[in-house]
Amino acid sequence: MALLKEPDLGTPARHGPSVDLEVDGHQVSVPAGTSVLRAAALAGIDIPKLCASDNLEAFGSCRLCLVEVEGGKGTPASCTTPVAPGMQVRTQSPKLEKLRRGVMELYISDHPLDCLTCPANGDCELQDMAGVVGLREVRYGFDGENHLDAPTDTSNPYFDFDDSKCIVCSRCVRACDEVQGTFALTISGRGFDSRVSASAGESFMNSECVSCGACVQACPTSTLQERSVIDLGMPTRTVLTTCAYCGVGCSFKAELRGDEVVRMVPYKDGGANEGHSCVKGRFAFGYASHPDRVTKPMIRERISDPWREVAWDEAINYVATRMTDIRDRHGVGAIGGITSSRCTNEEVYVVQKLVRAAFGNNNVDTCARVCHSPTGYGLKQTFGTSAGTQDFKSVAKADVMVVIGANPTDGHPVFASRMKRRLREGAQLIVIDPRRIDMVRSPHIEAAHHLQLAPGSNVAIINAMSHVVVTEGLVDRVFVAERCEDFEAWEQFIARPENSPESLEEVTGVPAAEVRAAARLYGSAGNAAIYYGLGVTEHSQGSTMVMGMANLAMATGNIGREGVGVNPLRGQNNVQGSCDMGSFPHELPGYRHVSDDTVREVFETLWGRTILAEPGLRIPNMFDAALDGTFLGLYIQGEDLAQSDPNTKHVTAALSAMELVVVQDLFLNETAKFAHVFLPGTSFLEKDGTFTNAERRINRVRPVMAPKTGKHEWQIACDIAQAMGYPMSYQQSSEIMDEVALTTPTFAGVSFDLLDKVGSVQWPCHEEAPTGTTVMHSKGFTRGKGRFIETAYVPTAERSTRKYPLILTTGRILSQYNVGSQTRRTANIAWHAEDILEIHPHDAEVRGICDGDEVTMASRVGETRLRAQVNDRMPVGVVYTTFHYPVTGANVVTTEHSDWATNCPEYKVTAVQIELGRKPSVTETVARHRGGADPDQPRSHESHDRPAALLGD
Amino acid sequence: MSSAEVARLANDIAAQFAHRSSADASLATATHMRTFWDPRMRRQLIDLVAVGTGDLDPVVVGAVAHLDPPT
């Protein structure tokens, strides 16, 4: 489509009884509280404006939106004037025109007249308004005092701040406050000296700015301007698509010149983000065209051989022949596949179909195995299906929110902005996390309770909270009686003395009184909502903890309406979707067990092949079977096992033991070192399909360019199936979604046509809810009754010892994404050029470690080196690091321990020892501070010998 | 898969049901394995119990009585 410019109604929408008024003789009805500016816009009358925007509260500073009100005095600003019944408004009169022209004269007298060479030429509201008010002269001349020589701040890698073009409308400041919630910007000085200032007069890069882009989006001039627009010029067309980073799944306008992406602009009608973005989605898309991309298929007989570029046909036939050969020699269970949460629903669906119909087994798993598989287990056991209960908007109705094992400002920043907005309105916050995350205390936000528990004691703390709810009369007896089952047995279990906060204080390390206060706050709230992340799931009791949270929510009646619920914050963009599509070895699409004859029959009839009724191998089982010599062929779609899975030595030994490893990815990743075939994948800018975000929202991913590889990823899977003798083909990816809708009840009626028509839908979709369901379990649970399950606390077998006295836990940082293969290939490395070990001052001092020192981190399975940062975010005895750089190798030290139910690795608890390595030289320190990170991936097609490294998605 | 690994995974499951009666715990453990374990892992566990090797939780041994040998 042509460049899409979304309408701006000037001030935010209001909700209230209808008010009738007249604007320039036109009748209009709007909700009470609506501004005259917005009412006029809704009547089709655009009043000139500069400081107003419908995502910001009215400010009334630019004085352009003046109107006259019959019977009223003066010329009020329409943005700050609410409508009133019977009001008669005039937006045009000689007096108003003169006033507006006068205001514009003053603006323009202090503005560079370089429109023809300005990057915002054609996209500048100041330029537009000068035209609208009919400005023809500037009587004051241009020689007076002005800001034309103000310097430009180019410190941020993605946008410039050209102070000489600033009209001090404060839209950027208000966007930072109201939309993003960071409060990094302000107006310094008074009167003529008023200027936008980042933090306390610092550069943007050195300020508290998080580069979300809200200020750039809000700027009506070219003051805050994307560097890509400065370099490339204004885009000329728009493709609506979906971000490929975290599970928030923001909708974006990809704005292009030809096939070149100039910028990604958050889409106001996007259901998940409503016009907001973060530094990754907004700016870090350059990896898609990075020179490291491999776009030709390659094969090699042995992993010690050099890669050889081949045609697609040869690569496909090679995979098919060798997979078939392994199956013939070693049995049907000797091969399998792994799907990726970075791929579309359609791409994932065809891979699981490839495995089940062409390979002939259920040996298909997904990278959700190492992140949210316990969510799948826990929520299905208690509620009936693996899904967050709410939409993101729901948090605006929460009175209390509990954040457990998640760091939303870094991991899910756009949703964090929604949370912070609600907290500023007065909602209460409980944080349960060993680390003092930013949300514990940040501008205008302070958690009522931070339960800084010992890693591994999640179940103990949730049991203690439920104990308080049950023993202090906070149970919603009506909800429980009507909606749930097995409550009495659970009540007796949880009321036992051993589940009291006092009994568990020694385990959790949290004072019992603090636990009791938090439980009372949650249990007595009108609406209380739980949001959680991998700090819940990546434990030996990850599934138990998910069930524990579900118990607590059901006991207090916090399920089934807006403002409540149990909500996983999914790590990757399509974790939800990849699980929905039948990626687990025990489940067909729609979370239906393979042993269900009726369900199998649906697929067998359509696919023309028999499906095994027994579960297949999980990812860690595949590794063990490979070392056993019974699993020898693996097709890996977009997953870097050698970096993301625990105990790297074990993983790489297993990969090395296989006869055929096929890697399909954008880059030659760590796993590709052990591959025999490399099949080039496509970036999100080339994909045509759908992603499903953490709120079950199915969003379209539209291609902005043809695949750089010449083939869509779903076509690759189809071609392999065909070459193995199973007919599987689609003309276009929409046909794959049609097949999903046909076979999967929760996706009934979903199609690309529907999504193009309504924007997005949240499953379940069915006859009664053809456009989806925002809040789940509102009338009954998916399984009928919500089921209480006893959740006994069982300590992890991973313990600190004299040799490994500290506990390592891991997380992520805002600017980087998971194993970093995307973000490390963007300018985001300016914020995070290496992984850092956070260590408490006490633990550092007794080891002689100072800030910036290189340290060794060793566990019983491996050792790595990284740099230390001494701070008190972590309690004594606990250290923390991120896992974005393979050179750091965090998964070298993580162990075999896993969730008992799903085998999700226990990334969050590893006993380690930290020792001082060597002091950095002055030269190294300077280089590091300049962002001089070593590239960690090969730039050629040659295999390289660096140690295979680490970490978890 | 090594016997030790099969035993470890089985014991991990059994530990979660240890607060129940041994009969209930064994049944729950068996149900979990039947639902989520690849047949070759169940077969290996059955063999492990049959030969009496492996450091198995009694709940796991009881669970195996509920498992049919996979075909």
Side-chain angles (χ1 to χ4, degrees), chain A residues 95-136:
Chain A
K95 181 182 178 183
L96 291 170
E97 287 166 11
K98 185 177 179 182
L99 284 168
R100 289 174 186 150
R101 205 173 292 134
V103 168
M104 281 305 300
E105 266 192 281
L106 289 168
Y107 277 127
I108 298 301
S109 70
D110 187 15
H111 194 82
L113 297 179
D114 59 352
C115 289
L116 290 179
T117 55
C118 177
N121 188 17
D123 187 34
C124 173
E125 293 180 43
L126 187 68
Q127 189 181 46
D128 293 344
M129 290 304 110
V132 166
V133 305
L135 185 69
R136 297 291 176 266

Side-chain angles (χ1 to χ4, degrees), chain A residues 54 107 152 190 259 384 539 544 639 665 698 824 838 858 892:
Chain A
D54 58 12
Y107 277 127
T152 298
R190 296 284 183 90
D259 279 350
H539 285 276
T544 311
E639 164 89 345
D665 210 308
I698 309 167
R824 282 184 282 102
E838 293 185 18
V892 169

Side-chain angles (χ1 to χ4, degrees), chain A residues 243-256:
Chain A
C243 179
Y245 281 115
C246 78
V248 177
C250 295
S251 295
F252 274 90
K253 297 184 292 182
E255 296 191 346
L256 304 103

Side-chain angles (χ1 to χ4, degrees), chain A residues 333-334 363 377 381 493 496 540-541 544 586 593 614-618 620-621 624-625 628 630-631 787 789-792 794 896-898 900-903, chain B residues 1-3 5-6 8-20 28-29 31-42 44 68-71:
Chain A
N363 291 337
Y377 179 87
Q381 293 289 318
F493 159 80
R496 291 178 193 162
S540 65
Q541 280 204 296
T544 311
H586 66 287
H593 201 271
E614 290 275 16
L617 296 169
R618 295 168 170 175
N621 304 149
D624 292 329
D628 221 21
T630 60
F631 186 80
R787 179 183 171 210
I789 295 175
E790 295 170 30
T791 53
V794 178
E896 76 284 359
H897 290 305
S898 64
W900 67 272
T902 67
N903 299 135
Chain B
M1 185 177 297
S2 72
S3 298
E5 183 65 3
V6 170
R8 185 182 69 80
L9 295 174
N11 287 341
D12 280 355
I13 297 167
Q16 302 300 317
F17 301 114
H19 63 288
R20 300 192 193 178
T29 300
T31 301
H32 186 88
M33 290 171 177
R34 203 180 297 117
T35 307
F36 297 105
W37 275 27
D38 179 273
R40 73 188 84 172
M41 293 168 63
R42 301 206 304 271
Q44 199 171 353
D68 295 327
T71 54

Side-chain angles (χ1 to χ4, degrees), chain A residues 16-300:
Chain A
S18 188
V19 172
D20 297 330
L21 70 155
E22 190 179 292
V23 182
D24 292 343
H26 298 277
Q27 288 293 325
V28 58
S29 296
V30 295
T34 301
S35 72
V36 169
L37 177 66
R38 185 179 179 94
L42 290 168
I45 299 165
D46 289 332
I47 300 173
K49 59 181 172 53
L50 275 173
C51 72
S53 182
D54 58 12
N55 66 339
L56 303 171
E57 292 301 322
F59 196 53
S61 77
C62 76
R63 314 313 295 175
L64 267 188
C65 70
L66 307 177
V67 293
E68 293 172 342
V69 178
E70 187 66 33
K73 291 181 180 176
T75 53
S78 60
C79 65
T80 54
T81 304
V83 296
M87 180 183 261
Q88 292 179 309
V89 178
R90 278 188 302 280
T91 71
Q92 298 289 339
S93 74
K95 181 182 178 183
L96 291 170
E97 287 166 11
K98 185 177 179 182
L99 284 168
R100 289 174 186 150
R101 205 173 292 134
V103 168
M104 281 305 300
E105 266 192 281
L106 289 168
Y107 277 127
I108 298 301
S109 70
D110 187 15
H111 194 82
L113 297 179
D114 59 352
C115 289
L116 290 179
T117 55
C118 177
N121 188 17
D123 187 34
C124 173
E125 293 180 43
L126 187 68
Q127 189 181 46
D128 293 344
M129 290 304 110
V132 166
V133 305
L135 185 69
R136 297 291 176 266
E137 62 174 344
V138 176
R139 290 168 293 169
Y140 313 111
F142 301 96
D143 298 329
E145 192 175 359
N146 59 56
H147 302 88
L148 301 182
D149 294 327
T152 298
D153 178 351
T154 60
S155 61
N156 190 290
Y158 293 121
F159 61 83
D160 287 353
F161 173 67
D162 183 349
D163 196 12
S164 71
K165 292 177 176 170
C166 180
I167 61 172
V168 201
C169 64
S170 291
R171 275 166 65 167
C172 57
V173 176
R174 289 179 288 139
C176 191
D177 296 353
E178 297 173 26
V179 178
Q180 167 56 27
T182 293
F183 296 83
L185 305 180
T186 190
I187 301 294
S188 64
R190 296 284 183 90
F192 191 77
D193 294 329
S194 301
R195 308 310 294 167
V196 170
S197 172
S199 293
E202 296 173 82
S203 70
F204 270 77
M205 194 62 193
N206 291 330
S207 74
E208 292 157 312
C209 168
V210 293
S211 298
C212 68
C215 58
V216 181
Q217 179 76 356
C219 182
T221 71
S222 186
T223 305
L224 284 155
Q225 186 73 64
E226 297 94 342
R227 189 77 55 77
S228 58
V229 172
I230 296 171
D231 292 343
L232 301 171
M234 270 295 156
T236 56
R237 68 184 182 100
T238 300
V239 175
L240 292 177
T241 191
T242 305
C243 179
Y245 281 115
C246 78
V248 177
C250 295
S251 295
F252 274 90
K253 297 184 292 182
E255 296 191 346
L256 304 103
R257 293 173 66 88
D259 279 350
E260 185 170 25
V261 179
V262 176
R263 62 182 175 186
M264 300 291 288
V265 181
Y267 185 42
K268 285 167 69 172
D269 279 349
N273 57 317
E274 297 183 300
H276 191 34
S277 60
C278 78
V279 63
K280 295 188 285 290
R282 179 73 154 92
F283 297 115
F285 53 87
Y287 70 88
S289 54
H290 195 278
D292 284 354
R293 274 282 297 271
V294 180
T295 57
K296 306 278 190 197
M298 299 186 296
I299 62 177
R300 57 184 177 182

